[in-house]
Amino acid sequence: MAESEQNKVLQEAFHDAENAVKFAERVSGEVALPAINQLRYAMCHLVEEDVERTLQHCLRAKYDAYEAAIGYFLDYIASFFIQKFPTDILDRHLGEWKKYRERFLTARTFLCSLRKLRDAEENVFARVEEELSELIKIRDAIDASYAEIRTERLRLEEEERILMEQEAQDRENAKAREERRRYTISLWWTICGTILGAMGIIIAIFK
């Protein structure tokens, strides 16, 4: 490989890896340390003029950065689905939520298989970028609907709480009415017994 062509390949490799690292840090808000370390190793091998190992570490840096980005989006989407919003609310505000959930599970399976790869290859990155594109779409859809979904669930929970309190109050009122009914019956029996007893005494006196 000619020196000019070699420099071009190295430049593109560093550029791609650096962009991947910046992307991962931008979406997650965290430093992609494993990817940065790979870039450091690449620089060391570049100084040693070991082109092959330099390119390997650039690819690895890109791989680690994308892995971190996928992991971030998976955690983000999982934190939404773990809240277990009622399906009727999701149907109204996030119509494709079932499709999103299946896509999330597919991406999670892919990430697990990705971690088993020992060497990152270019054909892997095409699939990585496809998964990232889909996960970003899901994240954006969730963000656009989350406020409405959460507000409606809170409203339904409040309505359910009020209904339960009303039912509890109705039970207490029914219990109080039953106790008053029993007390009234008992009182009438007492009065009737007293009257009958008095009548018995009167009859005995006038015999």
Side-chain angles (χ1 to χ4, degrees):
M1 182 184 298
E3 184 175 351
S4 59
E5 184 179 352
Q6 177 179 290
N7 290 337
K8 181 180 179 181
V9 170
L10 287 170
Q11 185 177 3
E12 289 178 352
F14 271 103
H15 180 71
D16 288 347
E18 185 180 19
N19 283 343
V21 171
K22 288 179 178 178
F23 171 77
E25 292 179 346
R26 185 171 67 253
V27 298
S28 67
E30 299 178 357
V31 176
L33 192 57
I36 291 175
N37 285 337
Q38 291 297 328
L39 282 178
R40 288 173 179 166
Y41 300 148
M43 291 297 296
C44 290
H45 291 302
L46 182 61
V47 171
E48 297 169 357
E49 298 184 354
D50 189 336
V51 175
E52 183 178 350
R53 297 189 70 180
T54 298
L55 291 174
Q56 286 177 353
H57 282 292
C58 284
L59 282 174
R60 189 70 188 186
K62 186 177 177 182
Y63 162 83
D64 286 346
Y66 278 154
E67 181 185 48
I70 290 178
Y72 165 77
F73 284 115
L74 288 177
D75 289 344
Y76 186 93
I77 296 168
S79 70
F80 172 78
F81 282 114
I82 203 172
Q83 296 181 63
K84 297 182 179 179
F85 291 103
T87 56
D88 57 333
I89 295 179
L90 292 177
D91 287 337
R92 281 193 291 276
H93 299 288
L94 193 65
E96 295 187 284
W97 68 271
K98 292 179 181 177
K99 173 186 172 182
Y100 294 153
R101 185 177 61 185
E102 290 301 317
R103 200 68 184 80
F104 160 76
L105 295 174
T106 299
R108 188 174 65 179
T109 301
F110 171 69
L111 180 61
C112 292
S113 65
L114 187 64
R115 288 171 178 165
K116 296 176 182 178
L117 298 177
R118 298 184 63 182
D119 297 309
E121 300 175 358
E122 284 299 330
N123 61 338
V124 174
F125 294 126
R127 175 69 188 280
V128 169
E129 290 170 356
E130 176 187 347
E131 295 297 332
L132 277 172
S133 176
E134 290 299 318
L135 292 174
I136 290 171
K137 290 178 184 176
I138 297 173
R139 189 276 311 272
D140 290 346
I142 289 173
D143 282 350
S145 305
Y146 183 75
E148 292 178 345
I149 292 171
R150 187 170 183 275
T151 297
E152 183 167 354
R153 183 171 74 172
L154 290 174
R155 179 180 61 79
L156 292 176
E157 288 175 347
E158 179 64 13
E159 290 176 354
E160 184 178 1
R161 183 189 65 79
I162 293 172
L163 179 61
M164 291 177 65
E165 288 181 354
Q166 184 60 52
E167 290 175 348
Q169 186 62 50
D170 290 345
R171 287 194 296 270
E172 288 296 320
N173 292 340
K175 182 179 178 181
R177 287 194 298 271
E178 178 63 19
E179 289 176 352
R180 286 196 300 270
R181 187 185 71 82
R182 291 180 179 179
Y183 173 76
T184 301
I185 293 173
S186 175
L187 180 61
W188 275 108
W189 276 115
T190 300
I191 292 172
C192 289
T194 302
I195 293 173
L196 290 174
M199 289 178 63
I201 293 172
I202 292 172
I203 292 172
I205 292 174
F206 287 98
K207 268 188 175 183

